[in-house]
Amino acid sequence: MPALVLVEVTIHNPELYEEYKKHTLATIQMFGGRFVVRGAKTESLEGDWNPERLVILEFPSIQAAKNWWASPEYTIAKNIRYQTATSKMLLVESLGPVGG
């Protein structure tokens, strides 16, 4: 069953955050993942949730997402993100492929 990773990001160092973005795509692809949403405009329909940046990733499984997050390749990028932004990340099992 596919899995989604939802990430809310507040960027504190935009220049260095660009380095994080450069490293991330290849690591996601290594584990069969893809971007569903990558920093697109958001609009709150209810409540006061207005993330500065929202990212949604899709992986083939919960385990693939966990393997990506814990991988040495992503750890390099993750450490850059920790220096440049504050984020919240949530892993959730999907009902099926996005758009399917």
Side-chain angles (χ1 to χ4, degrees):
M1 180 141 316
L4 299 175
V5 175
L6 291 76
V7 189
E8 180 181 351
V9 183
T10 302
I11 301 168
H12 306 296
N13 184 333
E15 295 79 24
L16 189 55
Y17 190 81
E18 289 301 315
E19 288 300 312
Y20 165 76
K21 287 171 31 179
K22 288 178 190 175
H23 288 87
T24 304
L25 179 59
T27 68
I28 292 166
Q29 292 173 335
M30 287 174 61
F31 294 89
R34 70 180 187 95
F35 284 99
V36 177
V37 173
R38 188 176 190 185
K41 182 179 182 240
T42 62
E43 179 181 345
S44 179
L45 297 178
E46 291 188 26
D48 61 357
W49 187 31
N50 289 299
E52 176 184 315
R53 181 174 178 83
L54 182 67
V55 177
I56 301 175
L57 307 170
E58 181 183 42
F59 287 91
S61 67
I62 292 275
Q63 193 58 55
K66 288 180 178 182
N67 290 346
W68 162 75
W69 186 85
S71 71
E73 295 83 4
Y74 182 60
T75 296
I76 294 167
K78 191 174 10 177
N79 286 332
I80 296 170
R81 180 171 48 85
Y82 290 160
Q83 295 174 49
T84 63
T86 304
S87 55
K88 297 176 186 174
M89 188 176 292
L90 184 66
L91 175 61
V92 62
E93 190 172 71
S94 176
L95 295 175
V98 174

